[in-house]
Structure formats: C-alpha cells, structure tokens
Amino acid sequence: FAPPAHPGIRACPLAPLCFNNSSKTRTSLFLQLITMMIGSNDFCSDFCFSELDKVLDRHRKDLDQVLSYLQQELPRTLVNLVITPNLNILASGDYPVQCNMYHRAMCPCLFSDLYKKLFDTYVKKMTEWQNVEFQVAALSKFRTKEFAVVPQPFLIEIVLPKLPLGSNRVDMKYMAADCFHLSQRIHHVAATGLWNNMLEPVHNKTIRSVPGEQGFKCPTESSPYLFTWDNS
C-alpha cells in the first residue's frame, strides 16, 4: 500500500462473485479497498438486550471473524475500520418530542428513564466497545505486506450542530427522520473525515468532525500514499 494507487486498480464488489474459487485468481491481481463500520444499532441491540459482561468479548470475536474471512477471501485488501461513534453525542442536545420517543425505543438502555442511573456505565462501555475495535485492528495477523486493517476514528468526536441564538436544540437538518441516524449533510462530513483519516498516520489521526470546519487533505510529495501501520 506504499505506492500511489495505479489508475487501473479496480475494486471487486462485496458480492458472492468475489468469494468463489474461480474469482480468487482475479481478485488477487488487484488491490481492494473496503470500508466497514459496526453501527450503533449493534451496540444498542447487544448492550440493551444481552448480558452486559459478555458483549465486549462477543464483539471482539465477531470482528476478528469478519476480518479473518476478508483476509482469506480478498488477500490484497486495505480495510478501513471506521470506529463506531459513542452514542452519548445524541444526549448532548435537545430534540423534538418525537425524537425522544424514537431514542427510547431504539436504544432504551441509554435513553429510557428506567436506565438513567446507568447512563454513565453504558457510555463507559461504549468507549470500551470502541477500544475493542482499535485492538482488533492492531492485531499483527492483520498487518501483512498485502493486507491491512486500519482504524479510522473520525467519528469519535463528531459534532451535531445546534440551532443559533444560544439554543441547545439540535439542528435537525443534520439528522435523519428517525432522529437516530445522520442526514446527507453529516454523511458529507463523514466522507471528508474518512478521506482525511486515510491520509493521516495511524497514530496521528483526526478524531473530531465538525460540519463546516473540515479541510480536504491531499497526498504530499513525501507521503503520496494511504497510511497503514507499517508506513506510518
């Protein structure tokens, strides 16, 4: 992954076509770029409806299994592992009444009144969930000459804009209709953050994404490549 991308490089879509024996030779000829994120819905479904002390181990095993499968089937691949945002960002502002209802329904252990006393505990567990993703991405078995998993943490401190005039009300232009996922405006911010992270050394990546405050980075003459563990 050290040299600049060649204009002829193609990516194979994540479809069954990529994972049959007849296509292995073909996919081994090209570099693949895959971006994956374990969404916050997974955090809510696991933490809210499973045994709390087993969730992190299961997350670690699941992530290891998925990445091992990709390494086996797509050996010449760079995997961007986007670190899941901590859902405490949704608790940092005021929302319309219907949003509060959606939040309680989709992630009760963070937003339901029944769990208020445990909110800090779950936020801490969410940070540990993120740390698991960093740790799995750093495993030596995923750091070969032709396969790498790189954590991209640009969503860790994503900022949801507020309405003007000192209001604590979240600007709903940046939220999807379910008040849980992000709108196209924030997806633009995320896309820029991902690109910038790929051009930053592994141990010096931007973790804060603020709408309207991001620049767009370009490769430099001294570092004309995407950063991995081994070239950072």
Side-chain angles (χ1 to χ4, degrees), residues 21-228:
N21 291 331
S22 63
S23 65
K24 280 189 176 181
T25 301
R26 185 180 65 223
T27 57
S28 67
L29 297 176
F30 308 109
L31 296 179
Q32 333 294 324
L33 176 63
I34 295 174
T35 298
M36 60 179 288
M37 183 184 80
I38 309 301
S40 299
N41 290 88
D42 293 76
F43 169 81
C44 290
S45 60
D46 280 358
F47 273 79
C48 297
F49 305 106
S50 302
E51 295 180 58
L52 195 59
D53 59 342
K54 297 181 180 180
V55 170
L56 294 177
D57 284 340
R58 185 164 62 245
H59 183 44
R60 185 185 304 275
K61 291 177 182 177
D62 289 346
L63 196 54
D64 184 283
Q65 182 178 7
V66 168
L67 293 173
S68 295
Y69 182 73
L70 290 176
Q71 185 176 30
Q72 175 184 336
E73 300 296 338
L74 295 174
R76 302 193 68 211
T77 300
L78 170 60
V79 179
N80 288 321
L81 180 60
V82 177
I83 305 302
T84 309
N86 196 313
L87 286 176
N88 66 347
I89 62 172
L90 295 180
S92 63
D94 297 330
Y95 294 85
V97 173
Q98 69 270 22
C99 291
N100 296 327
M101 296 171 58
Y102 292 148
H103 290 168
R104 292 188 187 108
M106 289 188 284
C107 204
C109 57
L110 281 179
F111 300 106
S112 172
D113 291 340
L114 294 174
Y115 294 88
K116 271 188 175 181
K117 293 182 179 179
L118 295 174
F119 179 82
D120 291 341
T121 299
Y122 281 106
V123 169
K124 181 180 178 182
K125 286 293 182 182
M126 187 75 189
T127 300
E128 294 174 5
W129 173 283
Q130 294 171 317
N131 290 338
V132 165
E133 295 173 346
F134 277 111
Q135 292 162 10
V136 173
L139 292 175
S140 59
K141 67 178 180 178
F142 297 136
R143 295 165 60 177
T144 69
K145 289 184 178 180
E146 295 192 330
F147 187 88
V149 179
V150 180
Q152 309 294 9
F154 61 93
L155 288 178
I156 285 183
E157 293 185 7
I158 190 168
V159 175
L160 297 178
K162 306 292 176 56
L163 293 174
L165 303 178
S167 171
N168 197 41
R169 177 66 65 91
V170 172
D171 189 341
M172 294 304 294
K173 294 195 298 291
Y174 293 90
M175 300 297 297
D178 64 2
C179 309
F180 193 82
H181 295 89
L182 304 175
S183 73
Q184 185 176 355
R185 290 172 184 257
I186 291 288
H187 278 279
H188 169 76
V189 173
T192 303
L194 173 60
W195 172 257
N196 289 344
N197 265 186
M198 288 193 291
L199 296 176
E200 296 170 336
V202 171
H203 298 292
N204 191 30
K205 290 184 179 291
T206 302
I207 64 172
R208 184 175 175 84
S209 296
V210 183
E213 296 185 10
Q214 291 174 294
F216 194 79
K217 295 188 176 183
C218 294
T220 64
E221 290 187 7
S222 59
S223 303
Y225 45 74
L226 304 181
F227 279 96
T228 67

